[in-house]
PDB file of all heavy atoms in Angstrom:
ATOM      1  N   ALA B   2      -7.267 -48.246  11.702  1.00  0.00           N
ATOM      2  CA  ALA B   2      -8.659 -47.822  11.623  1.00  0.00           C
ATOM      3  C   ALA B   2      -9.310 -47.825  13.000  1.00  0.00           C
ATOM      4  O   ALA B   2     -10.280 -47.103  13.220  1.00  0.00           O
ATOM      5  CB  ALA B   2      -9.431 -48.739  10.678  1.00  0.00           C
ATOM      6  N   MET B  28     -15.038 -32.978  11.566  1.00  0.00           N
ATOM      7  CA  MET B  28     -14.039 -33.923  11.089  1.00  0.00           C
ATOM      8  C   MET B  28     -13.398 -34.610  12.280  1.00  0.00           C
ATOM      9  O   MET B  28     -13.368 -34.082  13.388  1.00  0.00           O
ATOM     10  CB  MET B  28     -12.986 -33.233  10.221  1.00  0.00           C
ATOM     11  CG  MET B  28     -12.068 -32.282  10.958  1.00  0.00           C
ATOM     12  SD  MET B  28     -10.835 -31.548   9.866  1.00  0.00           S
ATOM     13  CE  MET B  28      -9.671 -32.877   9.731  1.00  0.00           C
ATOM     14  N   ASP B 352      -4.934  -9.082  -5.628  1.00  0.00           N
ATOM     15  CA  ASP B 352      -5.054  -8.511  -4.291  1.00  0.00           C
ATOM     16  C   ASP B 352      -5.342  -7.026  -4.424  1.00  0.00           C
ATOM     17  O   ASP B 352      -4.443  -6.221  -4.532  1.00  0.00           O
ATOM     18  CB  ASP B 352      -3.745  -8.744  -3.520  1.00  0.00           C
ATOM     19  CG  ASP B 352      -3.884  -8.354  -2.070  1.00  0.00           C
ATOM     20  OD1 ASP B 352      -4.795  -7.549  -1.763  1.00  0.00           O
ATOM     21  OD2 ASP B 352      -3.100  -8.830  -1.243  1.00  0.00           O
ATOM     22  N   GLU B 437      -8.053 -13.410 -10.545  1.00  0.00           N
ATOM     23  CA  GLU B 437      -9.021 -13.684  -9.478  1.00  0.00           C
ATOM     24  C   GLU B 437      -9.950 -12.487  -9.263  1.00  0.00           C
ATOM     25  O   GLU B 437     -10.031 -11.938  -8.164  1.00  0.00           O
ATOM     26  CB  GLU B 437      -8.301 -14.002  -8.159  1.00  0.00           C
ATOM     27  CG  GLU B 437      -7.472 -15.260  -8.192  1.00  0.00           C
ATOM     28  CD  GLU B 437      -8.298 -16.532  -7.975  1.00  0.00           C
ATOM     29  OE1 GLU B 437      -9.537 -16.437  -7.962  1.00  0.00           O
ATOM     30  OE2 GLU B 437      -7.702 -17.595  -7.863  1.00  0.00           O
TER      31      GLU B 437
END
Side-chain angles (χ1 to χ4, degrees):
Chain B
M28 69 179 281
D352 188 338
E437 296 278 9

